[in-house]
């Protein structure tokens, strides 16, 4: 990180995030220096958001700052990791007053979410070009722990947190599609300011085998688990947890592809072995965040299929998810 | 890092870098998991290269792959850190065959340099958009160590590695300026495939106080040290180490701004306290990489000036370096 151009971000960000004791040297030198606790794995995840692809150019910058951090913290959540530090690279079209104001707003959303999770920004880069945001998040896991995609086994039960399709429906409305819903503000919030399920991820270390966050769509992301684990999945559409708004929309439209294929909800989908299911069902009754059973893992040929059971009992086995290069 | 789109890079990169024992989980899950040795700081540095700003669109992708990694390893070198892992986010205009071939070439240069330093690629992201490359490099330092920008003191002696102005002269030629030089291939190599001075950085932990890599230009980067340390610097132009090609060019043109202000050489400029200078001068006679005395640190008001002594004894105190937002 060369110093001169980073002053731009430093002005908006120094002291804006939590100051952590394990940060030896933060923003402003060639490198940041940090201390990882003994006995921990360091978990790292990097995600890039590009204007016009991952968000619209007119997006509220406060929300975008939240989301840029949230999607990375969501990857830590899907491993069960505890977040610690982040780096941020911003490519901005200009450094004039308009963009400085934009950046101040972006940082407001970014730092508010960082504060919620005691996350410190330790460095990064700023360059000029098409608006592009890259964040790398760093967190801890006890050695030997971690919810991996390859850990699902025959007979595991599949659960998902929260509700599905909210962000997808908001995206359709943003794209100009006329849809009658009761609570468009709720849907917009779900799209613009997703909640990384960090506490859930850590709690799941005791119960779950595999986990992934729903960024590309339930079926697409579940297929990653199936591919990595060499298994298949059966998902019951009628069991999918839906908000009132999406439920109402589905009743009118019959568009079941929405909660199956739409991305951006950043809920966790995960597998629980049969022998832990009773304990898990007992404990989730205490949790504020709903976790819903939606299906099970099986061994079938070819493996890595996700079979979807429709309300009429019909089974389909191909639902496309979001792909950044085909969308 | 969502899985689907990263397959693109994974195809070109899995197993292409060193496989390190401290990598618990590499490319392909929500996070990578790594183990940092006990008693070490983790050093991290993130740099972004944008097409048309940091490199020309027609650049040889093999060289660009080398350079994208080299500029990040250079930041580790400037702290004295030992490199370990990298993450890579690539934003590509397309995923068609032309770009896949381009990516394969990029990865060839990237992985060749990674192999030289036992560096493993552990994750990242791929997205579609304007060609933009973000790399984060991770390395180790013994706790309490590290060459910091704020550590220069009154009376320290200033040294620089290698030669200055080579990349800057190559850049001028690339931009179409007609310059007669004997060794344009050498200059082009210095611009396109800089060598991160990692071994030097580690050796300097015993001798130097402050260090920085010359990415924005000698004066601009030395000014970062001065600003952080609250000191000023005096640099003698006649002492600047020059290649034969740059020396020849300067004799013809008198363009002393080149080695003072041109960036991209990725040499290290660093400060050695007077009491260690004799030992340092003795040891560098053994080194393959030349280190040259160019001036000294002093206390003067205002601080953070870099004063340049010209061959005729005249002193100038303002030489501009490269700035990504003003260039």
């Amino acid at each position: 990180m060369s110093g001169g151009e980073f002053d731009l971000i430093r002005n908006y960000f120094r002291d804006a995030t939590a100051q952590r004791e394990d940060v030896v040297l933060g923003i402003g030198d060639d490198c940041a220096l940090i201390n990882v606790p003994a006995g921990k794995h360091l978990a790292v995840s990097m995600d890039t958001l590009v204007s016009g692809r991952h968000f619209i150019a007119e997006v509220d910058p406060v929300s975008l700052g939240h989301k840029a951090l949230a999607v990375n913290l969501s990857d830590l959540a899907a491993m069960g990791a505890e977040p610690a530090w982040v780096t941020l690279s911003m490519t901005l079209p200009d450094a004039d007053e308009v963009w400085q104001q934009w950046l101040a707003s972006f940082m407001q959303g970014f730092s508010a979410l960082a504060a919620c999770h005691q996350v410190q920004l330790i460095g990064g880069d700023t360059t000029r070009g098409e608006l592009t945001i890259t964040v790398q998040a760093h967190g801890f896991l006890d050695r030997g722990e971690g919810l991996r995609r390859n850990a699902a086994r025959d007979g595991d039960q599949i659960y998902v947190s929260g509700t599905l399709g909210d962000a997808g429906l908001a995206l359709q409305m943003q794209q100009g599609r006329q849809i009658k819903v009761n609570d468009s503000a709720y849907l917009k919030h779900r799209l613009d300011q997703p909640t990384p399920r960090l506490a859930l991820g850590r709690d799941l270390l005791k119960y779950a085998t595999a986990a992934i966050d729903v960024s590309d769509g339930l079926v697409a992301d579940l297929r990653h688990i199936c591919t990595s684990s060499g298994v298949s999945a059966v998902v019951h559409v009628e069991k999918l947890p839906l908000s009132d708004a999406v439920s109402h929309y589905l009743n009118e439209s019959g568009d079941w592809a929405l909660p199956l294929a739409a991305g951006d909800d950043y809920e966790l989908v995960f597998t629980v072995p049969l022998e832990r299911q009773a304990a898990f069902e007992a404990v989730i009754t205490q949790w504020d965040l709903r976790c819903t059973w939606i299906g099970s893992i099986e061994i079938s040929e070819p493996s890595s299929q996700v079979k979807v059971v429709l309300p009429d009992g019909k089974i389909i086995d191909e639902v496309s998810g979001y792909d950044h290069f085909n969308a």
Side-chain angles (χ1 to χ4, degrees), chain A:
Chain A
M1 35 198 110
S2 50
E5 75 275 32
F6 198 71
D7 292 345
L8 189 71
I9 278 189
R10 190 164 30 184
N11 291 342
Y12 292 102
F13 220 95
R14 180 164 271 186
D15 305 327
T17 52
Q19 304 296 302
R20 295 176 57 98
E21 284 190 7
D22 49 17
V23 176
V24 180
L25 188 61
I27 292 170
D29 214 305
D30 297 296
C31 298
L33 298 181
I34 49 187
N35 289 336
V36 177
K40 298 279 186 182
H41 296 314
L42 183 67
V44 302
S45 176
M46 178 187 258
D47 265 303
T48 296
L49 303 181
V50 180
S51 180
R53 183 145 298 268
H54 301 90
F55 57 90
I56 55 172
E58 308 76 31
V59 68
D60 164 38
V62 179
S63 294
L64 186 62
H66 174 104
K67 188 162 183 172
L69 179 56
V71 301
N72 277 278
L73 296 183
S74 180
D75 280 322
L76 293 182
M79 290 297 287
E82 180 191 346
W85 320 290
V86 287
T87 50
L88 168 63
S89 174
M90 298 218 59
T91 303
L92 295 172
D94 206 331
D96 63 9
E97 263 189 42
V98 172
W99 279 103
Q100 287 189 35
Q101 183 53 49
W102 188 96
L103 188 57
S105 299
F106 177 93
M107 291 305 188
Q108 188 186 325
F110 190 98
S111 58
L113 180 61
C116 289
H117 299 285
Q118 289 79 52
V119 163
Q120 182 171 348
L121 180 69
I122 56 169
D125 200 2
T126 55
T127 51
R128 188 199 286 241
E130 187 183 43
L131 180 58
T132 306
I133 301 148
T134 297
V135 173
Q136 179 160 323
H138 311 73
F140 309 136
L141 271 169
D142 285 340
R143 291 204 180 186
E145 298 226 322
L147 301 166
R148 301 188 183 198
R149 294 184 184 178
N150 67 0
R153 296 291 174 264
D154 188 19
D156 282 2
Q157 302 300 300
I158 306 170
Y159 287 80
V160 68
S161 66
T163 55
L164 294 171
D166 296 328
L169 191 54
L171 190 64
Q172 289 189 26
M173 293 164 68
Q174 188 183 79
Q175 290 166 345
R177 193 159 156 199
Q178 296 300 317
I179 296 169
K180 271 194 295 185
V181 292
N182 296 325
D183 199 351
S184 61
Y186 162 80
L187 294 177
K188 185 170 160 47
H189 183 81
R190 289 275 292 161
L191 174 65
D192 290 346
Q193 302 212 20
T195 304
R197 301 303 190 186
L198 287 157
L200 175 64
R202 291 202 289 280
D203 285 337
L204 288 180
L205 290 169
K206 290 195 284 287
Y207 301 100
T209 46
I212 193 170
D213 61 328
V214 181
S215 55
D216 296 342
L218 176 69
V219 169
D221 290 312
L222 197 47
R223 191 181 292 124
H224 291 313
I225 287 181
C226 290
T227 303
S228 297
S229 301
V231 297
S232 291
V234 179
V235 169
H236 300 269
V237 155
E238 281 186 309
K239 300 293 183 184
L240 297 183
L242 306 174
S243 63
D244 289 346
V246 168
S247 188
H248 181 77
Y249 165 75
L250 289 192
N251 284 337
E252 302 244 313
S253 67
D255 177 18
W256 284 100
L258 176 75
L260 289 166
D264 273 327
D265 283 317
Y266 295 98
E267 297 296 343
L268 298 186
V269 57
F270 54 94
T271 56
V272 175
L274 260 183
E275 65 271 23
R276 290 185 215 153
Q277 190 178 19
F280 181 67
E281 291 275 1
V283 76
I284 59 177
T285 60
Q286 328 264 320
W287 292 354
D288 292 334
L289 178 62
R290 178 160 56 140
C291 290
T292 307
W293 181 89
I294 60 168
S296 54
I297 297 293
E298 62 174 33
I299 302 292
S300 68
E301 287 304 327
S303 66
S304 74
Q305 283 182 93
V306 178
K307 300 176 201 169
V308 175
V309 184
L310 296 180
D312 62 6
K314 195 179 155 203
I315 296 177
I316 54 173
D317 57 11
E318 273 307 325
V319 179
S320 295
Y322 184 84
D323 184 307
H324 294 296
F325 275 109
N326 295 324

